[in-house]
Amino acid sequence: MTTIREGGLLAAACLAALALSCSREPAGISGGGIDFAAAADSEQSFSQVGPFTLVERSGAAVTRDDLLGRPWVASFVFTRCTGPCPMVVSTLKKLQARLKGGEARIVTFSVDPEWDTPEVLRSYASDAGADPKRWLFLTGDEKTIYPLIYSSFRSAVERAPPGEAAIGMHVSHSTQLVAVDKKGRVRGYYHGESDDQLDRLVARLAFLQREKE
Protein backbone atom coordinates (compact mmCIF):
# COMPACT_ATOMS: atom_id res chain seq x y z
CA MET A 1 0.00 0.00 0.00
CA THR A 2 1.36 3.46 -0.92
CA THR A 3 1.96 5.58 2.17
CA ILE A 4 1.04 9.26 2.34
CA ARG A 5 4.74 10.18 2.28
CA GLU A 6 5.44 7.91 -0.71
CA GLY A 7 2.36 9.21 -2.48
CA GLY A 8 3.48 12.76 -1.85
CA LEU A 9 6.95 12.09 -3.22
CA LEU A 10 5.55 10.35 -6.29
CA ALA A 11 3.11 13.15 -6.90
CA ALA A 12 5.82 15.77 -6.40
CA ALA A 13 8.08 14.05 -8.91
CA CYS A 14 5.25 13.86 -11.39
CA LEU A 15 4.39 17.51 -10.88
CA ALA A 16 8.00 18.66 -11.18
CA ALA A 17 8.29 16.88 -14.50
CA LEU A 18 5.11 18.53 -15.65
CA ALA A 19 6.30 21.99 -14.56
CA LEU A 20 3.11 22.71 -12.67
CA SER A 21 0.82 21.70 -15.49
CA CYS A 22 -2.05 19.32 -14.88
CA SER A 23 -1.24 15.62 -14.83
CA ARG A 24 -2.71 13.19 -17.33
CA GLU A 25 -1.36 10.03 -15.65
CA PRO A 26 -2.01 8.60 -12.19
CA ALA A 27 0.97 9.41 -9.97
CA GLY A 28 2.75 6.35 -8.64
CA ILE A 29 1.62 3.97 -11.37
CA SER A 30 3.99 3.17 -14.20
CA GLY A 31 2.47 2.85 -17.64
CA GLY A 32 4.12 -0.46 -18.43
CA GLY A 33 1.39 -2.85 -19.50
CA ILE A 34 -1.40 -1.08 -17.60
CA ASP A 35 -4.47 -0.01 -19.52
CA PHE A 36 -5.54 3.08 -17.62
CA ALA A 37 -8.84 3.28 -19.52
CA ALA A 38 -9.81 -0.18 -18.35
CA ALA A 39 -12.06 -2.17 -20.65
CA ALA A 40 -15.70 -2.37 -19.60
CA ASP A 41 -15.51 -5.92 -18.22
CA SER A 42 -11.95 -5.81 -16.88
CA GLU A 43 -11.33 -7.26 -13.43
CA GLN A 44 -8.45 -4.84 -12.94
CA SER A 45 -8.32 -2.89 -9.68
CA PHE A 46 -5.77 -0.19 -8.86
CA SER A 47 -6.30 0.78 -5.22
CA GLN A 48 -8.80 1.08 -2.39
CA VAL A 49 -10.31 4.45 -1.48
CA GLY A 50 -9.54 5.10 2.16
CA PRO A 51 -11.93 6.49 4.77
CA PHE A 52 -12.74 10.19 4.64
CA THR A 53 -15.29 12.68 5.92
CA LEU A 54 -15.80 15.81 3.83
CA VAL A 55 -18.48 18.46 3.37
CA GLU A 56 -20.83 18.55 0.40
CA ARG A 57 -21.99 21.84 -1.15
CA SER A 58 -25.28 21.36 0.70
CA GLY A 59 -23.39 21.51 4.00
CA ALA A 60 -23.99 17.82 4.71
CA ALA A 61 -21.13 15.56 5.75
CA VAL A 62 -20.22 12.86 3.22
CA THR A 63 -18.06 9.86 4.09
CA ARG A 64 -16.48 7.11 2.01
CA ASP A 65 -19.04 4.70 3.44
CA ASP A 66 -21.90 6.89 2.17
CA LEU A 67 -20.69 6.16 -1.35
CA LEU A 68 -20.49 2.38 -1.01
CA GLY A 69 -23.04 0.26 -2.85
CA ARG A 70 -23.01 2.33 -6.06
CA PRO A 71 -20.29 2.97 -8.65
CA TRP A 72 -19.02 6.53 -8.86
CA VAL A 73 -16.58 8.74 -10.71
CA ALA A 74 -14.04 10.87 -8.85
CA SER A 75 -12.86 14.14 -10.36
CA PHE A 76 -10.63 16.97 -9.14
CA VAL A 77 -11.19 20.66 -9.89
CA PHE A 78 -11.17 24.08 -8.23
CA THR A 79 -13.53 26.93 -8.90
CA ARG A 80 -10.87 29.60 -9.53
CA CYS A 81 -9.13 27.45 -12.14
CA THR A 82 -8.34 29.19 -15.42
CA GLY A 83 -6.64 26.11 -16.84
CA PRO A 84 -8.25 22.78 -17.81
CA CYS A 85 -10.91 22.58 -15.07
CA PRO A 86 -13.65 24.07 -17.29
CA MET A 87 -12.93 21.34 -19.86
CA VAL A 88 -13.19 18.69 -17.13
CA VAL A 89 -16.51 20.12 -15.97
CA SER A 90 -17.74 20.13 -19.58
CA THR A 91 -16.89 16.43 -19.86
CA LEU A 92 -18.63 15.75 -16.53
CA LYS A 93 -21.78 17.52 -17.74
CA LYS A 94 -21.86 15.15 -20.71
CA LEU A 95 -21.25 12.22 -18.37
CA GLN A 96 -24.09 13.30 -16.08
CA ALA A 97 -26.48 13.30 -19.05
CA ARG A 98 -25.29 9.82 -20.03
CA LEU A 99 -25.82 8.45 -16.51
CA LYS A 100 -29.52 9.25 -16.26
CA GLY A 101 -31.48 6.16 -15.32
CA GLY A 102 -28.49 4.45 -13.71
CA GLU A 103 -27.10 4.30 -10.20
CA ALA A 104 -23.65 5.79 -10.82
CA ARG A 105 -22.77 9.17 -9.36
CA ILE A 106 -20.10 11.83 -9.91
CA VAL A 107 -18.05 13.04 -6.95
CA THR A 108 -15.97 16.17 -7.51
CA PHE A 109 -13.27 16.97 -4.94
CA SER A 110 -12.08 20.57 -4.61
CA VAL A 111 -8.29 20.86 -4.64
CA ASP A 112 -8.58 24.45 -3.34
CA PRO A 113 -10.78 23.81 -0.31
CA GLU A 114 -9.85 26.95 1.64
CA TRP A 115 -11.42 29.04 -1.11
CA ASP A 116 -14.04 26.52 -2.22
CA THR A 117 -16.47 26.71 0.68
CA PRO A 118 -19.85 24.95 0.40
CA GLU A 119 -21.39 28.29 -0.60
CA VAL A 120 -18.86 28.79 -3.40
CA LEU A 121 -19.35 25.22 -4.60
CA ARG A 122 -23.14 25.63 -4.58
CA SER A 123 -22.89 28.51 -7.02
CA TYR A 124 -20.32 26.70 -9.16
CA ALA A 125 -22.38 23.50 -9.25
CA SER A 126 -25.51 25.44 -10.13
CA ASP A 127 -23.74 27.10 -13.05
CA ALA A 128 -22.60 23.64 -14.19
CA GLY A 129 -26.15 22.28 -14.04
CA ALA A 130 -25.09 19.62 -11.53
CA ASP A 131 -27.96 17.48 -10.22
CA PRO A 132 -27.44 17.38 -6.42
CA LYS A 133 -28.68 13.80 -6.28
CA ARG A 134 -26.30 12.59 -8.97
CA TRP A 135 -23.30 14.93 -8.79
CA LEU A 136 -21.67 15.76 -5.45
CA PHE A 137 -19.13 18.52 -4.79
CA LEU A 138 -16.90 17.96 -1.76
CA THR A 139 -14.65 20.31 0.18
CA GLY A 140 -12.96 20.29 3.57
CA ASP A 141 -9.39 20.44 4.85
CA GLU A 142 -6.47 20.42 2.41
CA LYS A 143 -4.56 18.21 4.87
CA THR A 144 -7.30 15.62 4.40
CA ILE A 145 -7.99 16.01 0.69
CA TYR A 146 -4.43 16.00 -0.65
CA PRO A 147 -3.30 12.77 1.09
CA LEU A 148 -6.58 11.17 -0.02
CA ILE A 149 -5.84 12.07 -3.64
CA TYR A 150 -2.24 10.84 -3.37
CA SER A 151 -2.86 7.57 -1.59
CA SER A 152 -6.37 6.49 -2.57
CA PHE A 153 -6.61 7.74 -6.14
CA ARG A 154 -2.85 7.66 -6.79
CA SER A 155 -3.14 10.99 -8.51
CA ALA A 156 -1.10 14.18 -8.43
CA VAL A 157 -2.01 17.39 -6.64
CA GLU A 158 0.15 20.22 -5.35
CA ARG A 159 -0.28 23.87 -4.47
CA ALA A 160 2.30 26.21 -5.99
CA PRO A 161 4.39 28.21 -3.51
CA PRO A 162 3.01 31.70 -2.79
CA GLY A 163 3.82 34.14 -5.56
CA GLU A 164 4.99 31.50 -8.02
CA ALA A 165 1.77 31.03 -9.95
CA ALA A 166 -0.98 33.31 -11.19
CA ILE A 167 -4.41 33.12 -9.61
CA GLY A 168 -6.31 30.41 -11.38
CA MET A 169 -3.19 28.32 -11.95
CA HIS A 170 -1.99 27.96 -8.37
CA VAL A 171 -2.96 24.31 -7.90
CA SER A 172 -1.65 21.53 -10.12
CA HIS A 173 -3.68 18.34 -10.16
CA SER A 174 -4.77 15.32 -12.15
CA THR A 175 -7.47 15.98 -14.73
CA GLN A 176 -8.39 12.33 -15.08
CA LEU A 177 -11.77 10.86 -14.19
CA VAL A 178 -11.45 7.90 -11.84
CA ALA A 179 -13.96 5.04 -11.90
CA VAL A 180 -14.71 3.60 -8.45
CA ASP A 181 -16.77 0.47 -7.83
CA LYS A 182 -19.42 -0.39 -5.22
CA LYS A 183 -16.75 -1.53 -2.76
CA GLY A 184 -14.76 1.68 -3.04
CA ARG A 185 -12.03 0.25 -5.27
CA VAL A 186 -10.44 2.29 -8.07
CA ARG A 187 -11.16 0.44 -11.31
CA GLY A 188 -9.98 2.75 -14.11
CA TYR A 189 -8.68 6.16 -15.21
CA TYR A 190 -10.18 8.10 -18.12
CA HIS A 191 -9.51 11.41 -19.87
CA GLY A 192 -11.24 14.36 -18.27
CA GLU A 193 -10.15 17.18 -20.56
CA SER A 194 -11.98 15.68 -23.52
CA ASP A 195 -14.84 13.27 -24.13
CA ASP A 196 -12.80 10.89 -26.29
CA GLN A 197 -13.00 8.12 -23.64
CA LEU A 198 -16.51 8.90 -22.43
CA ASP A 199 -18.05 5.88 -24.14
CA ARG A 200 -15.50 3.62 -22.43
CA LEU A 201 -16.16 5.22 -19.04
CA VAL A 202 -19.93 4.89 -19.39
CA ALA A 203 -19.55 1.23 -20.38
CA ARG A 204 -17.22 0.67 -17.44
CA LEU A 205 -19.72 2.18 -14.99
CA ALA A 206 -22.53 0.04 -16.43
CA PHE A 207 -20.40 -3.06 -15.84
CA LEU A 208 -19.52 -1.96 -12.30
CA GLN A 209 -23.21 -1.38 -11.62
CA ARG A 210 -24.03 -4.97 -12.72
CA GLU A 211 -21.05 -6.47 -10.91
CA LYS A 212 -21.94 -8.39 -7.78
CA GLU A 213 -20.67 -6.89 -4.53
Side-chain angles (χ1 to χ4, degrees):
M1 178 179 292
T2 304
T3 65
I4 290 174
R5 181 176 183 276
E6 290 169 342
L9 291 172
L10 290 165
C14 176
L15 287 160
L18 289 165
L20 289 178
S21 64
C22 286
S23 170
R24 297 185 65 89
E25 299 290 341
I29 305 176
S30 67
I34 292 179
D35 180 13
F36 294 118
D41 59 354
S42 171
E43 298 298 325
Q44 192 170 23
S45 176
F46 294 89
S47 61
Q48 178 75 43
V49 177
F52 65 82
T53 301
L54 295 170
V55 181
E56 214 275 322
R57 68 183 184 272
S58 64
V62 174
T63 70
R64 187 275 311 271
D65 289 352
D66 291 329
L67 301 175
L68 297 178
R70 300 168 65 175
W72 50 284
V73 175
S75 61
F76 315 103
V77 304
F78 61 107
T79 64
R80 294 191 287 178
C81 177
T82 57
C85 293
M87 292 182 284
V88 174
V89 171
S90 177
T91 300
L92 291 171
K93 289 172 67 175
K94 295 175 184 177
L95 177 61
Q96 177 180 238
R98 296 279 298 273
L99 294 179
K100 287 184 178 179
E103 295 181 359
R105 288 187 288 190
I106 301 167
V107 182
T108 295
F109 295 83
S110 170
V111 295
D112 187 18
E114 290 184 4
W115 177 270
D116 289 340
T117 63
E119 293 78 13
V120 169
L121 289 179
R122 273 202 300 274
S123 176
Y124 189 78
S126 177
D127 290 343
D131 179 349
K133 294 182 179 180
R134 185 173 299 279
W135 187 350
L136 308 180
F137 282 77
L138 302 184
T139 188
D141 184 350
E142 188 172 299
K143 292 181 180 179
T144 297
I145 293 174
Y146 280 24
L148 177 70
I149 293 173
Y150 294 144
S151 298
S152 292
F153 299 105
R154 298 189 181 182
S155 294
V157 60
E158 184 174 70
R159 182 178 294 278
E164 293 191 16
I167 293 296
M169 296 294 290
H170 57 286
V171 180
S172 297
H173 59 94
S174 173
T175 60
Q176 290 186 314
L177 307 182
V178 185
V180 183
D181 67 16
K182 299 175 185 179
K183 295 182 179 180
R185 299 174 299 181
V186 170
R187 301 291 295 275
Y189 296 84
Y190 302 82
H191 293 169
E193 292 181 56
S194 70
D195 60 4
D196 63 334
Q197 292 184 345
L198 198 55
D199 287 345
R200 296 192 71 176
L201 175 54
V202 170
R204 183 62 163 159
L205 293 170
F207 170 78
L208 296 178
Q209 183 171 314
R210 296 191 303 268
E211 194 174 44
K212 294 182 179 179
E213 295 187 42

